[in-house]
Amino acid sequence: MIKTIMSYIEKLGGEQSQCLIDAENVNNECFVHIFLRLDSKTLRNCMLACHRFRSLLSNDSFWVERARIIGRVNNLPPFAWRKATNQKKFKGNESGEIDVSKFAFNFPIMVHSGGYSTIRPTFFSYFDAAPNHIIQGIIRSDEFKIGATGNGIQMEQNSGYGCEPHTDVEKCFAFSFANSSIYIFVDLVAKGIDPWILDYVRPKIRISQKINHRHDCAASLTLAAQLNYHETQWVQENGQVQVSRNTDLKRSKSINKQWPQWTEATWADVALEFNNYPSGMRHLTVLNTGKDDQFWQGFYGPKIANIEIKVILPEMPVVRPLQEDTERKREDDEPHNEQAPQFRLPFLRGRRNVMAIPPAIFHNPAEE
């Protein structure tokens, strides 16, 4: 860390840098100029080095400027929210019922972990590394879980096979004949969404993606999402309901889509939004599960693309009283103890005798 800082001082001071070896001879402006260009790991070490460095790095304006320099302005809350937080003045709290004295943004985590920018899943690299971009079996990490049965799940380039092209779709994920699932786990606090925001503001949380299917095969897909207290939790009572029909509860929502065979294969946008959820939510779980409905060998199931998650603050800084959770379940108090994350290489399954083989040449009987 010291070598890194001194190298910047030498660049700034040129031949006179030798007289700046003593940190007391370096003014705060010079250190701030250096800190703005350090990597995140070195910055964390600087915050632990001394009280002076910690004080300089605790200034909100430093992190706003750093976000601008490294191109992460979208991670920050709007200016109106930063101003209201500094002044401790929020709409909805004119009477002072809510103690806002400790409301402050955690800018370091926000700038480096995502904050209010669009959150996108991280499992793409696993498909890139897999043979033929196909994953079978189970892959588990802190941010996602893929459970791929049947022929697995395949990453296809552009709009995929059997679909109309779409300019916004560069990669998509196609399911096979058996129900397979992709879970996405989002630790909202670790991403930079402060607990007081989740409790007293409860901003809109939006999950969006594009969906499609092959025109020559029937398919079904469920997109579900759930807000939780605990990491990677999935409340079973609601989970069972979400499989059979659409749900629109405060903490859990789902959309079920079915495509008959020989229907138009155009990409469509779907979204789930949480607006009036209870206080205490810290984690978000998003689930995509799908299969083809004709049990064909290959990847004839639904396709998903462009999965995005975004936390959207209201335009006007407003706080609300804490809201009780009326949908609390047993799993919220006694979350399931999952096994340690497992990473498995894709494996091949034996061909099942009852598997249907799609015809080599497709035709629409209605056209005969």
Short mmCIF file of all heavy atoms in Angstrom, two decimals, residues 202-253:
data_model
loop_
_atom_site.label_atom_id
_atom_site.label_comp_id
_atom_site.label_asym_id
_atom_site.label_seq_id
_atom_site.Cartn_x
_atom_site.Cartn_y
_atom_site.Cartn_z
N ARG A 202 -38.55 1.35 1.52
CA ARG A 202 -39.08 0.20 0.78
C ARG A 202 -39.28 0.56 -0.70
O ARG A 202 -40.41 0.60 -1.21
CB ARG A 202 -40.38 -0.31 1.41
CG ARG A 202 -40.19 -0.75 2.86
CD ARG A 202 -41.40 -1.44 3.42
NE ARG A 202 -42.54 -0.55 3.61
CZ ARG A 202 -42.68 0.30 4.64
NH1 ARG A 202 -41.74 0.35 5.58
NH2 ARG A 202 -43.74 1.06 4.73
N PRO A 203 -38.16 0.83 -1.39
CA PRO A 203 -38.25 1.24 -2.79
C PRO A 203 -38.74 0.10 -3.68
O PRO A 203 -38.72 -1.07 -3.29
CB PRO A 203 -36.81 1.63 -3.13
CG PRO A 203 -35.98 0.80 -2.21
CD PRO A 203 -36.77 0.71 -0.93
N LYS A 204 -39.15 0.46 -4.86
CA LYS A 204 -39.60 -0.54 -5.83
C LYS A 204 -38.43 -1.44 -6.21
O LYS A 204 -37.32 -0.97 -6.46
CB LYS A 204 -40.16 0.14 -7.08
CG LYS A 204 -40.62 -0.83 -8.17
CD LYS A 204 -40.95 -0.12 -9.46
CE LYS A 204 -42.13 0.82 -9.29
NZ LYS A 204 -42.51 1.45 -10.58
N ILE A 205 -38.68 -2.74 -6.26
CA ILE A 205 -37.70 -3.71 -6.72
C ILE A 205 -38.29 -4.39 -7.95
O ILE A 205 -39.35 -5.01 -7.88
CB ILE A 205 -37.35 -4.74 -5.64
CG1 ILE A 205 -36.79 -4.04 -4.40
CG2 ILE A 205 -36.36 -5.77 -6.17
CD1 ILE A 205 -36.51 -4.96 -3.24
N ARG A 206 -37.60 -4.26 -9.08
CA ARG A 206 -38.15 -4.74 -10.35
C ARG A 206 -37.25 -5.82 -10.93
O ARG A 206 -36.04 -5.64 -11.06
CB ARG A 206 -38.29 -3.58 -11.34
CG ARG A 206 -39.05 -3.92 -12.61
CD ARG A 206 -39.28 -2.66 -13.44
NE ARG A 206 -40.28 -2.89 -14.47
CZ ARG A 206 -39.99 -3.32 -15.70
NH1 ARG A 206 -38.73 -3.55 -16.03
NH2 ARG A 206 -40.95 -3.51 -16.59
N ILE A 207 -37.86 -6.95 -11.30
CA ILE A 207 -37.17 -8.05 -11.97
C ILE A 207 -37.74 -8.16 -13.37
O ILE A 207 -38.96 -8.32 -13.54
CB ILE A 207 -37.35 -9.38 -11.22
CG1 ILE A 207 -36.87 -9.25 -9.77
CG2 ILE A 207 -36.61 -10.50 -11.92
CD1 ILE A 207 -38.00 -9.07 -8.78
N SER A 208 -36.90 -8.05 -14.38
CA SER A 208 -37.39 -8.11 -15.76
C SER A 208 -36.52 -9.04 -16.58
O SER A 208 -35.34 -9.26 -16.26
CB SER A 208 -37.40 -6.70 -16.38
OG SER A 208 -36.08 -6.18 -16.44
N GLN A 209 -37.09 -9.58 -17.63
CA GLN A 209 -36.35 -10.43 -18.56
C GLN A 209 -37.16 -10.60 -19.83
O GLN A 209 -38.33 -10.22 -19.90
CB GLN A 209 -36.04 -11.79 -17.94
CG GLN A 209 -37.28 -12.64 -17.66
CD GLN A 209 -36.93 -13.96 -16.99
OE1 GLN A 209 -36.04 -14.04 -16.15
NE2 GLN A 209 -37.63 -15.02 -17.37
N LYS A 210 -36.54 -11.18 -20.83
CA LYS A 210 -37.22 -11.53 -22.07
C LYS A 210 -37.44 -13.04 -22.10
O LYS A 210 -36.59 -13.81 -21.64
CB LYS A 210 -36.41 -11.07 -23.29
CG LYS A 210 -36.35 -9.56 -23.45
CD LYS A 210 -35.63 -9.18 -24.73
CE LYS A 210 -35.60 -7.66 -24.90
NZ LYS A 210 -36.95 -7.08 -25.04
N ILE A 211 -38.57 -13.46 -22.67
CA ILE A 211 -38.89 -14.88 -22.75
C ILE A 211 -39.35 -15.22 -24.16
O ILE A 211 -39.87 -14.37 -24.89
CB ILE A 211 -39.98 -15.29 -21.73
CG1 ILE A 211 -41.29 -14.52 -22.00
CG2 ILE A 211 -39.50 -15.03 -20.31
CD1 ILE A 211 -42.46 -15.00 -21.15
N ASN A 212 -39.16 -16.49 -24.52
CA ASN A 212 -39.57 -16.96 -25.85
C ASN A 212 -39.62 -18.48 -25.84
O ASN A 212 -39.35 -19.12 -24.81
CB ASN A 212 -38.60 -16.44 -26.92
CG ASN A 212 -39.25 -16.35 -28.29
OD1 ASN A 212 -40.33 -16.90 -28.53
ND2 ASN A 212 -38.59 -15.65 -29.21
N HIS A 213 -39.92 -19.06 -26.99
CA HIS A 213 -39.97 -20.51 -27.13
C HIS A 213 -39.74 -20.84 -28.61
O HIS A 213 -39.77 -19.96 -29.47
CB HIS A 213 -41.33 -21.05 -26.69
CG HIS A 213 -42.43 -20.77 -27.67
ND1 HIS A 213 -42.81 -19.49 -27.99
CD2 HIS A 213 -43.19 -21.60 -28.44
CE1 HIS A 213 -43.78 -19.53 -28.89
NE2 HIS A 213 -44.02 -20.79 -29.19
N ARG A 214 -39.51 -22.10 -28.90
CA ARG A 214 -39.44 -22.55 -30.29
C ARG A 214 -40.85 -22.71 -30.84
O ARG A 214 -41.72 -23.27 -30.16
CB ARG A 214 -38.68 -23.87 -30.39
CG ARG A 214 -37.19 -23.76 -30.11
CD ARG A 214 -36.52 -25.10 -30.34
NE ARG A 214 -36.70 -25.56 -31.71
CZ ARG A 214 -35.70 -25.94 -32.51
NH1 ARG A 214 -34.46 -25.88 -32.07
NH2 ARG A 214 -35.94 -26.37 -33.72
N HIS A 215 -41.06 -22.26 -32.06
CA HIS A 215 -42.41 -22.30 -32.62
C HIS A 215 -42.89 -23.73 -32.85
O HIS A 215 -44.09 -23.98 -32.91
CB HIS A 215 -42.46 -21.53 -33.94
CG HIS A 215 -41.83 -22.26 -35.09
ND1 HIS A 215 -40.47 -22.41 -35.22
CD2 HIS A 215 -42.39 -22.92 -36.15
CE1 HIS A 215 -40.21 -23.11 -36.31
NE2 HIS A 215 -41.34 -23.43 -36.89
N ASP A 216 -41.95 -24.70 -32.95
CA ASP A 216 -42.34 -26.06 -33.32
C ASP A 216 -42.57 -26.97 -32.12
O ASP A 216 -42.80 -28.16 -32.29
CB ASP A 216 -41.27 -26.69 -34.23
CG ASP A 216 -39.86 -26.48 -33.69
OD1 ASP A 216 -39.73 -26.32 -32.46
OD2 ASP A 216 -38.91 -26.45 -34.49
N CYS A 217 -42.51 -26.43 -30.89
CA CYS A 217 -42.67 -27.29 -29.71
C CYS A 217 -43.39 -26.52 -28.60
O CYS A 217 -43.09 -25.35 -28.35
CB CYS A 217 -41.31 -27.77 -29.22
SG CYS A 217 -41.40 -28.97 -27.86
N ALA A 218 -44.31 -27.18 -27.95
CA ALA A 218 -44.99 -26.57 -26.80
C ALA A 218 -44.02 -26.46 -25.63
O ALA A 218 -43.13 -27.30 -25.46
CB ALA A 218 -46.21 -27.40 -26.41
N ALA A 219 -44.18 -25.43 -24.81
CA ALA A 219 -43.25 -25.21 -23.70
C ALA A 219 -43.96 -24.46 -22.58
O ALA A 219 -45.00 -23.83 -22.79
CB ALA A 219 -42.03 -24.42 -24.17
N SER A 220 -43.39 -24.55 -21.38
CA SER A 220 -43.94 -23.83 -20.22
C SER A 220 -42.79 -23.28 -19.39
O SER A 220 -41.71 -23.87 -19.30
CB SER A 220 -44.82 -24.76 -19.37
OG SER A 220 -44.10 -25.90 -18.95
N LEU A 221 -43.06 -22.13 -18.76
CA LEU A 221 -42.03 -21.43 -17.98
C LEU A 221 -42.68 -20.74 -16.79
O LEU A 221 -43.79 -20.22 -16.89
CB LEU A 221 -41.32 -20.38 -18.85
CG LEU A 221 -40.31 -19.47 -18.14
CD1 LEU A 221 -39.03 -20.24 -17.83
CD2 LEU A 221 -40.00 -18.24 -18.99
N THR A 222 -41.99 -20.75 -15.66
CA THR A 222 -42.41 -20.00 -14.48
C THR A 222 -41.30 -19.05 -14.07
O THR A 222 -40.15 -19.48 -13.87
CB THR A 222 -42.74 -20.93 -13.30
OG1 THR A 222 -43.86 -21.75 -13.64
CG2 THR A 222 -43.10 -20.12 -12.06
N LEU A 223 -41.63 -17.77 -13.97
CA LEU A 223 -40.73 -16.77 -13.40
C LEU A 223 -41.30 -16.39 -12.04
O LEU A 223 -42.44 -15.93 -11.95
CB LEU A 223 -40.63 -15.54 -14.30
CG LEU A 223 -39.98 -14.30 -13.67
CD1 LEU A 223 -38.52 -14.57 -13.31
CD2 LEU A 223 -40.09 -13.09 -14.60
N ALA A 224 -40.53 -16.60 -10.99
CA ALA A 224 -40.99 -16.31 -9.63
C ALA A 224 -39.91 -15.54 -8.89
O ALA A 224 -38.72 -15.65 -9.19
CB ALA A 224 -41.34 -17.60 -8.89
N ALA A 225 -40.33 -14.75 -7.92
CA ALA A 225 -39.38 -13.99 -7.09
C ALA A 225 -39.93 -13.89 -5.69
O ALA A 225 -41.14 -13.89 -5.47
CB ALA A 225 -39.15 -12.60 -7.68
N GLN A 226 -39.01 -13.79 -4.73
CA GLN A 226 -39.41 -13.76 -3.33
C GLN A 226 -38.42 -12.92 -2.53
O GLN A 226 -37.21 -13.03 -2.71
CB GLN A 226 -39.44 -15.19 -2.79
CG GLN A 226 -40.07 -15.33 -1.42
CD GLN A 226 -40.18 -16.80 -1.03
OE1 GLN A 226 -39.36 -17.29 -0.27
NE2 GLN A 226 -41.17 -17.49 -1.55
N LEU A 227 -38.95 -12.06 -1.67
CA LEU A 227 -38.14 -11.29 -0.74
C LEU A 227 -38.05 -12.04 0.58
O LEU A 227 -39.06 -12.53 1.09
CB LEU A 227 -38.74 -9.90 -0.52
CG LEU A 227 -38.59 -8.91 -1.68
CD1 LEU A 227 -39.46 -7.68 -1.44
CD2 LEU A 227 -37.13 -8.50 -1.86
N ASN A 228 -36.85 -12.11 1.14
CA ASN A 228 -36.63 -12.93 2.33
C ASN A 228 -35.79 -12.20 3.37
O ASN A 228 -35.12 -11.21 3.08
CB ASN A 228 -35.91 -14.23 1.95
CG ASN A 228 -36.71 -15.08 0.99
OD1 ASN A 228 -37.91 -15.27 1.17
ND2 ASN A 228 -36.06 -15.57 -0.05
N TYR A 229 -35.83 -12.75 4.58
CA TYR A 229 -34.96 -12.27 5.65
C TYR A 229 -33.58 -12.89 5.53
O TYR A 229 -32.58 -12.25 5.85
CB TYR A 229 -35.54 -12.66 7.02
CG TYR A 229 -36.89 -12.06 7.33
CD1 TYR A 229 -38.06 -12.75 7.06
CD2 TYR A 229 -36.99 -10.80 7.91
CE1 TYR A 229 -39.30 -12.21 7.36
CE2 TYR A 229 -38.22 -10.25 8.20
CZ TYR A 229 -39.38 -10.96 7.93
OH TYR A 229 -40.60 -10.41 8.21
N HIS A 230 -33.54 -14.14 5.09
CA HIS A 230 -32.31 -14.92 5.14
C HIS A 230 -31.78 -15.19 3.74
O HIS A 230 -32.52 -15.18 2.75
CB HIS A 230 -32.54 -16.25 5.87
CG HIS A 230 -33.17 -16.09 7.21
ND1 HIS A 230 -32.48 -15.61 8.30
CD2 HIS A 230 -34.44 -16.32 7.63
CE1 HIS A 230 -33.30 -15.57 9.35
NE2 HIS A 230 -34.49 -15.99 8.97
N GLU A 231 -30.51 -15.48 3.67
CA GLU A 231 -29.84 -15.71 2.40
C GLU A 231 -30.33 -17.00 1.74
O GLU A 231 -30.50 -18.02 2.40
CB GLU A 231 -28.33 -15.79 2.62
CG GLU A 231 -27.52 -15.88 1.36
CD GLU A 231 -26.04 -15.86 1.65
OE1 GLU A 231 -25.67 -15.91 2.84
OE2 GLU A 231 -25.26 -15.79 0.70
N THR A 232 -30.55 -16.96 0.44
CA THR A 232 -30.92 -18.10 -0.41
C THR A 232 -32.15 -18.84 0.12
O THR A 232 -32.34 -20.01 -0.17
CB THR A 232 -29.76 -19.10 -0.56
OG1 THR A 232 -29.55 -19.78 0.69
CG2 THR A 232 -28.49 -18.41 -1.00
N GLN A 233 -32.99 -18.17 0.87
CA GLN A 233 -34.18 -18.82 1.43
C GLN A 233 -35.29 -18.87 0.38
O GLN A 233 -35.45 -17.96 -0.42
CB GLN A 233 -34.66 -18.05 2.66
CG GLN A 233 -35.91 -18.62 3.31
CD GLN A 233 -36.48 -17.66 4.35
OE1 GLN A 233 -35.98 -16.56 4.50
NE2 GLN A 233 -37.51 -18.08 5.03
N TRP A 234 -36.06 -19.95 0.40
CA TRP A 234 -37.25 -20.05 -0.45
C TRP A 234 -38.36 -20.64 0.40
O TRP A 234 -38.31 -21.79 0.82
CB TRP A 234 -36.99 -20.94 -1.67
CG TRP A 234 -38.13 -20.90 -2.64
CD1 TRP A 234 -39.15 -21.80 -2.77
CD2 TRP A 234 -38.39 -19.88 -3.60
NE1 TRP A 234 -40.02 -21.41 -3.75
CE2 TRP A 234 -39.58 -20.23 -4.28
CE3 TRP A 234 -37.75 -18.69 -3.95
CZ2 TRP A 234 -40.12 -19.44 -5.30
CZ3 TRP A 234 -38.29 -17.92 -4.95
CH2 TRP A 234 -39.46 -18.30 -5.62
N VAL A 235 -39.37 -19.82 0.71
CA VAL A 235 -40.45 -20.26 1.59
C VAL A 235 -41.28 -21.32 0.86
O VAL A 235 -41.85 -21.06 -0.19
CB VAL A 235 -41.33 -19.07 2.00
CG1 VAL A 235 -42.51 -19.55 2.84
CG2 VAL A 235 -40.51 -18.05 2.79
N GLN A 236 -41.34 -22.51 1.43
CA GLN A 236 -41.94 -23.63 0.73
C GLN A 236 -43.44 -23.48 0.53
O GLN A 236 -43.98 -23.86 -0.49
CB GLN A 236 -41.64 -24.93 1.51
CG GLN A 236 -40.17 -25.27 1.56
CD GLN A 236 -39.57 -25.44 0.18
OE1 GLN A 236 -40.14 -26.12 -0.66
NE2 GLN A 236 -38.44 -24.81 -0.07
N GLU A 237 -44.15 -22.93 1.52
CA GLU A 237 -45.60 -22.81 1.37
C GLU A 237 -45.96 -22.00 0.14
O GLU A 237 -46.80 -22.38 -0.66
CB GLU A 237 -46.22 -22.15 2.62
CG GLU A 237 -46.23 -23.05 3.83
CD GLU A 237 -44.99 -22.86 4.69
OE1 GLU A 237 -43.97 -22.40 4.17
OE2 GLU A 237 -45.06 -23.17 5.89
N ASN A 238 -45.29 -20.85 -0.03
CA ASN A 238 -45.57 -20.02 -1.20
C ASN A 238 -45.00 -20.65 -2.46
O ASN A 238 -45.56 -20.52 -3.54
CB ASN A 238 -44.98 -18.62 -1.01
CG ASN A 238 -45.73 -17.84 0.06
OD1 ASN A 238 -46.87 -18.16 0.37
ND2 ASN A 238 -45.09 -16.84 0.61
N GLY A 239 -43.88 -21.32 -2.32
CA GLY A 239 -43.26 -21.94 -3.48
C GLY A 239 -44.16 -22.95 -4.15
O GLY A 239 -44.22 -23.06 -5.37
N GLN A 240 -44.90 -23.72 -3.36
CA GLN A 240 -45.80 -24.72 -3.92
C GLN A 240 -46.93 -24.05 -4.70
O GLN A 240 -47.37 -24.54 -5.73
CB GLN A 240 -46.37 -25.60 -2.80
CG GLN A 240 -45.32 -26.42 -2.08
CD GLN A 240 -44.62 -27.38 -3.02
OE1 GLN A 240 -45.24 -27.97 -3.89
NE2 GLN A 240 -43.31 -27.52 -2.87
N VAL A 241 -47.41 -22.92 -4.20
CA VAL A 241 -48.50 -22.22 -4.87
C VAL A 241 -48.02 -21.64 -6.20
O VAL A 241 -48.72 -21.66 -7.21
CB VAL A 241 -49.06 -21.10 -3.96
CG1 VAL A 241 -50.08 -20.26 -4.72
CG2 VAL A 241 -49.70 -21.71 -2.73
N GLN A 242 -46.78 -21.14 -6.21
CA GLN A 242 -46.28 -20.45 -7.39
C GLN A 242 -46.13 -21.38 -8.59
O GLN A 242 -46.13 -20.93 -9.72
CB GLN A 242 -44.94 -19.79 -7.07
CG GLN A 242 -45.11 -18.58 -6.16
CD GLN A 242 -43.79 -18.08 -5.63
OE1 GLN A 242 -42.85 -18.85 -5.47
NE2 GLN A 242 -43.70 -16.81 -5.33
N VAL A 243 -46.00 -22.66 -8.34
CA VAL A 243 -45.85 -23.59 -9.45
C VAL A 243 -47.15 -23.72 -10.23
O VAL A 243 -47.14 -23.91 -11.44
CB VAL A 243 -45.38 -24.96 -8.93
CG1 VAL A 243 -45.35 -25.98 -10.05
CG2 VAL A 243 -44.02 -24.84 -8.28
N SER A 244 -48.28 -23.62 -9.56
CA SER A 244 -49.55 -23.94 -10.19
C SER A 244 -50.28 -22.72 -10.74
O SER A 244 -51.08 -22.85 -11.66
CB SER A 244 -50.46 -24.65 -9.18
OG SER A 244 -50.67 -23.83 -8.04
N ARG A 245 -50.05 -21.54 -10.20
CA ARG A 245 -50.78 -20.38 -10.70
C ARG A 245 -50.00 -19.10 -10.40
O ARG A 245 -49.07 -19.09 -9.59
CB ARG A 245 -52.17 -20.30 -10.05
CG ARG A 245 -52.16 -20.01 -8.55
CD ARG A 245 -53.58 -19.79 -8.04
NE ARG A 245 -53.60 -19.37 -6.65
CZ ARG A 245 -53.70 -20.19 -5.62
NH1 ARG A 245 -53.76 -21.49 -5.83
NH2 ARG A 245 -53.72 -19.73 -4.38
N ASN A 246 -50.40 -18.03 -11.06
CA ASN A 246 -49.75 -16.74 -10.82
C ASN A 246 -50.05 -16.26 -9.40
O ASN A 246 -51.16 -16.44 -8.90
CB ASN A 246 -50.25 -15.70 -11.81
CG ASN A 246 -49.85 -16.03 -13.24
OD1 ASN A 246 -49.06 -16.94 -13.47
ND2 ASN A 246 -50.40 -15.31 -14.19
N THR A 247 -49.07 -15.66 -8.77
CA THR A 247 -49.26 -15.12 -7.42
C THR A 247 -48.82 -13.67 -7.40
O THR A 247 -47.92 -13.26 -8.14
CB THR A 247 -48.46 -15.91 -6.37
OG1 THR A 247 -47.07 -15.91 -6.74
CG2 THR A 247 -48.94 -17.34 -6.28
N ASP A 248 -49.46 -12.90 -6.53
CA ASP A 248 -49.14 -11.49 -6.40
C ASP A 248 -49.26 -11.09 -4.93
O ASP A 248 -50.13 -10.31 -4.55
CB ASP A 248 -50.06 -10.64 -7.28
CG ASP A 248 -49.65 -9.18 -7.31
OD1 ASP A 248 -48.49 -8.89 -6.93
OD2 ASP A 248 -50.48 -8.32 -7.67
N LEU A 249 -48.38 -11.65 -4.10
CA LEU A 249 -48.36 -11.35 -2.68
C LEU A 249 -47.35 -10.24 -2.41
O LEU A 249 -46.62 -9.81 -3.31
CB LEU A 249 -48.03 -12.61 -1.88
CG LEU A 249 -48.95 -13.82 -2.13
CD1 LEU A 249 -48.46 -15.02 -1.34
CD2 LEU A 249 -50.39 -13.49 -1.77
N LYS A 250 -47.29 -9.79 -1.18
CA LYS A 250 -46.37 -8.70 -0.85
C LYS A 250 -44.91 -9.13 -0.96
O LYS A 250 -44.06 -8.35 -1.37
CB LYS A 250 -46.66 -8.18 0.56
CG LYS A 250 -47.99 -7.45 0.69
CD LYS A 250 -48.18 -6.91 2.09
CE LYS A 250 -49.49 -6.13 2.19
NZ LYS A 250 -49.71 -5.57 3.55
N ARG A 251 -44.64 -10.38 -0.59
CA ARG A 251 -43.26 -10.86 -0.58
C ARG A 251 -42.94 -11.83 -1.69
O ARG A 251 -41.76 -12.13 -1.93
CB ARG A 251 -42.95 -11.53 0.77
CG ARG A 251 -42.72 -10.59 1.92
CD ARG A 251 -42.37 -11.38 3.16
NE ARG A 251 -41.29 -12.32 2.93
CZ ARG A 251 -40.97 -13.31 3.76
NH1 ARG A 251 -41.66 -13.48 4.87
NH2 ARG A 251 -39.97 -14.11 3.48
N SER A 252 -43.92 -12.38 -2.35
CA SER A 252 -43.67 -13.38 -3.38
C SER A 252 -44.61 -13.16 -4.57
O SER A 252 -45.80 -12.90 -4.39
CB SER A 252 -43.85 -14.79 -2.82
OG SER A 252 -45.14 -14.94 -2.26
N LYS A 253 -44.04 -13.26 -5.75
CA LYS A 253 -44.80 -13.05 -6.98
C LYS A 253 -44.32 -14.04 -8.03
O LYS A 253 -43.17 -14.49 -8.01
CB LYS A 253 -44.63 -11.62 -7.49
CG LYS A 253 -45.06 -10.55 -6.47
CD LYS A 253 -44.84 -9.15 -6.99
CE LYS A 253 -45.16 -8.12 -5.91
NZ LYS A 253 -46.58 -8.13 -5.52
#
